[in-house]
Amino acid sequence: MRKLFFFLCTHVPKQRAKFTRIMESCQKKQKLETPTELSDMPDDLIFKIFSFLPFFKEDLATRFISEYGKGLWNPDPNAIFDDESLDMTCMSFVYGSLMSKDAQILDSLHLKLRKYYIASDINFLVQLGVNRSMRELRIDFFGKTLELPCCLSTCTTLKVLVLDHLNIMSVPGWFRLPSVETLQLSSVTGGSNYVPSLIRLCSVHERLVVDQNRNKDLVNINVPTLRSLSIDNKRRGHVPLGSFWINVPSLMFLNIKDTFQTIFESMPAMIKANIEVAHDQSQSVKFIESLTSTRHLCLCSPTSENPYPNGTKFSNLVHLKLCTCSAGWQNLLACMLNDAPNLRSLTLKLRHKSDVNPKKVWEKPTVVPECLSTRLEILKWRDYEGTEHEKDMVGYILANATFLQRATFSTKDRNQCDSRFSELQSLERVSEICEFVFD
């Protein structure tokens, strides 16, 4: 009981005097009659305590006390507090977290706060989650400035922190997020160093998600321990976006959509990368060059002429998915076939709408790429249209992929399926075990 009242006095400071009087009143009773938990107190006294809390609603408090007394309340491991509705679900999280002697561990807490609140009110809600050993916290602040709840600096169970549509002006030097492994920033703004400041808080940071860099400044991401990075920095509407400089030597998984100039340093530990970029030629060259260690690569890039420096090798690349929406995709594919000697699986797909035609007919390599003659086993071509450029490309692959086991083709134009697939079946195949699949 003392622990509960200490919590209330600390996190609802405006009502400290009233809570103290209630505590003193309880202490005056005989020891056997003194409640040990809030749930042991009379209903009218519980109601009075609830009336002092933020977000109090008389009808919901009365209903909750009644349902709790009848054993009808069950804690939800995934709590949502939305101040637009403030319904029974929201307030059950607040009241139940205070009433339950053994409150269930909170898998996730999602706060949707549209109105303006003082820092202590927000800290009160977050502390309820901290008390229940929450593992994930998401705060949607609808464009307002957030002061990071101080109670998070002592939370040792929080693994995922998501900050959405808010502004952060400063982060105290003493503040830490001791157990956070995943930090997700969606439409977050702040000073020029807000991202590095937030990253610095995470002692065991392994995963970072950034949805739009709305600062015009270059944002530095320098995290030696980072294993997974996801960036969606594509322009939506007319909102100006900034760029990134990224140094993540331990990165293993990368997912990026970017229309601006993100600069990457070497990533020697890369395993899987999903890339959609619209950089200018020089930046795309540098970007692709930084992906040489990856084993799985999904790539959409406007790069065509000289896509990366001569001598660049993708020796670890086993699976390649290439988008066919750009005019130079065939040239990029030809270069990568030459420079990925261990490629076993190739997927071609039109991931984005495009009216662009290839700039010129693909020039067949004078020497058959090593991956075609010794490694390639799987070919998948999605949205195959049967153009002269495509037939020329697939004909070359089938004629030289010695160990090809399966070639799968699909088309959007169902009226042309039979004729296109008949053409494909008539093409020369060097592999005697290659199976054709049309879906």
Side-chain angles (χ1 to χ4, degrees):
M1 190 64 177
R2 291 179 180 274
K3 184 177 180 181
L4 171 64
F5 276 107
F6 177 79
F7 165 71
L8 293 173
C9 290
T10 302
H11 295 91
V12 193
K14 292 186 295 184
Q15 306 295 345
R16 183 174 300 163
K18 294 180 180 178
F19 287 134
T20 301
R21 287 197 295 271
I22 292 176
M23 183 66 175
E24 292 173 347
S25 175
C26 289
Q27 289 176 333
K28 290 179 181 179
K29 295 182 179 181
Q30 295 180 0
K31 186 175 182 180
L32 292 176
E33 298 178 354
T34 302
T36 58
E37 298 288 343
L38 183 61
S39 56
D40 297 326
M41 300 177 69
D43 289 353
D44 58 342
L45 192 52
I46 296 174
F47 180 86
K48 186 174 182 180
I49 292 174
F50 284 173
S51 69
F52 298 147
L53 301 178
F55 321 106
F56 171 74
K57 283 192 173 184
E58 181 177 347
D59 56 335
L60 296 181
T62 302
R63 178 181 165 188
F64 176 83
I65 294 172
S66 174
E67 292 183 357
Y68 189 89
K70 297 176 182 178
L72 301 178
W73 178 76
N74 292 312
D76 190 343
N78 299 288
I80 299 177
F81 186 93
D82 188 343
D83 67 359
E84 188 172 56
S85 57
L86 279 184
D87 55 12
M88 190 61 178
T89 301
C90 293
M91 298 314 298
S92 289
F93 157 69
V94 176
Y95 300 147
S97 297
L98 293 172
M99 289 277 283
S100 181
K101 299 177 182 178
D102 300 305
Q104 182 180 7
I105 289 177
L106 202 60
D107 288 333
S108 66
L109 171 59
H110 188 175
L111 302 180
K112 298 181 179 182
L113 304 175
R114 296 168 175 80
K115 302 174 184 178
Y116 286 90
Y117 300 103
I118 59 176
S120 61
D121 287 348
I122 300 172
N123 201 64
F124 168 77
L125 291 173
V126 175
Q127 182 66 59
L128 292 175
V130 173
N131 292 348
R132 289 178 57 181
S133 303
M134 68 177 169
R135 293 166 180 163
E136 178 177 339
L137 171 64
R138 178 173 188 143
I139 302 178
D140 294 349
F141 220 42
F142 297 87
K144 302 185 296 298
T145 298
L146 174 70
E147 179 180 333
L148 289 174
C150 60
C151 60
L152 288 179
S153 62
T154 60
C155 183
T156 58
T157 60
L158 188 67
K159 300 299 182 183
V160 179
L161 175 61
V162 182
L163 303 178
D164 189 5
H165 199 196
L166 54 84
N167 180 52
I168 293 180
M169 293 307 297
S170 62
V171 180
W174 53 266
F175 196 94
R176 289 292 181 272
L177 296 169
S179 58
V180 169
E181 297 175 355
T182 296
L183 176 63
Q184 180 172 333
L185 309 175
S186 180
S187 298
V188 175
T189 59
S192 59
N193 293 318
Y194 83 95
V195 174
S197 297
L198 290 173
I199 292 174
R200 173 184 55 80
L201 307 179
C202 307
S203 303
V204 290
H205 198 188
E206 294 186 355
R207 182 170 181 261
L208 174 64
V209 180
V210 181
D211 184 1
Q212 294 196 320
N213 172 22
R214 296 202 173 188
N215 282 17
K216 296 181 180 180
D217 304 311
L218 178 72
V219 170
N220 296 331
I221 298 178
N222 187 355
V223 190
T225 61
L226 201 65
R227 296 289 188 271
S228 175
L229 174 63
S230 180
I231 295 177
D232 187 346
N233 204 38
K234 295 189 70 175
R235 184 190 293 275
R236 298 165 194 157
H238 301 287
V239 178
L241 301 177
S243 54
F244 298 88
W245 175 82
I246 298 174
N247 183 23
V248 282
S250 299
L251 197 69
M252 301 171 68
F253 305 99
L254 173 65
N255 183 22
I256 182 170
K257 298 179 181 179
D258 193 13
T259 53
F260 291 84
Q261 297 185 356
T262 294
I263 302 172
F264 278 85
E265 299 298 330
S266 176
M267 297 176 284
M270 181 66 66
I271 294 177
K272 188 173 184 179
N274 186 354
I275 313 298
E276 182 182 328
V277 293
H279 295 161
D280 59 36
Q281 177 72 17
S282 62
Q283 291 300 328
S284 291
V285 167
K286 295 178 183 178
F287 183 72
I288 294 176
E289 187 183 9
S290 68
L291 301 172
T292 54
S293 66
T294 187
R295 292 175 55 83
H296 303 256
L297 176 60
C298 182
L299 179 62
C300 176
S301 171
T303 298
S304 55
E305 302 297 333
N306 303 316
Y308 46 80
N310 290 332
T312 302
K313 289 294 182 182
F314 299 87
S315 300
N316 296 327
L317 187 60
V318 177
H319 304 278
L320 173 63
K321 294 182 180 180
L322 187 65
C323 182
T324 61
C325 68
S326 69
W329 72 267
Q330 288 177 312
N331 182 61
L332 177 58
L333 174 59
C335 290
M336 298 203 70
L337 289 177
N338 277 320
D339 298 320
N342 295 305
L343 188 67
R344 293 181 179 273
S345 173
L346 172 63
T347 300
L348 302 174
K349 182 178 181 180
L350 182 64
R351 296 172 61 189
H352 312 96
K353 292 183 180 179
S354 176
D355 298 324
V356 178
N357 293 318
K359 293 181 179 179
K360 59 183 179 181
V361 176
W362 176 59
E363 296 181 3
K364 299 177 182 179
T366 55
V367 178
V368 176
E370 182 180 349
C371 68
L372 292 185
S373 60
T374 64
R375 291 288 188 274
L376 192 68
E377 298 174 351
I378 303 296
L379 171 64
K380 296 180 181 179
W381 199 315
R382 304 300 184 189
D383 304 323
Y384 178 79
E385 296 180 350
T387 65
E388 289 301 317
H389 293 84
E390 292 181 342
K391 285 189 289 186
D392 188 52
M393 172 68 77
V394 72
Y396 179 82
I397 294 175
L398 292 176
N400 292 282
T402 308
F403 294 93
L404 193 65
Q405 298 178 10
R406 175 175 292 193
T408 304
F409 298 88
S410 64
T411 181
K412 288 183 177 179
D413 190 352
R414 294 298 177 184
N415 295 325
Q416 299 292 327
C417 285
D418 293 340
S419 60
R420 289 177 182 173
F421 295 154
S422 295
E423 289 179 344
L424 288 169
Q425 286 181 312
S426 67
L427 295 175
E428 177 188 355
R429 280 174 272 175
V430 67
S431 173
E432 298 180 354
I433 62 171
C434 180
E435 175 189 6
F436 264 38
V437 178
F438 304 112
D439 59 10

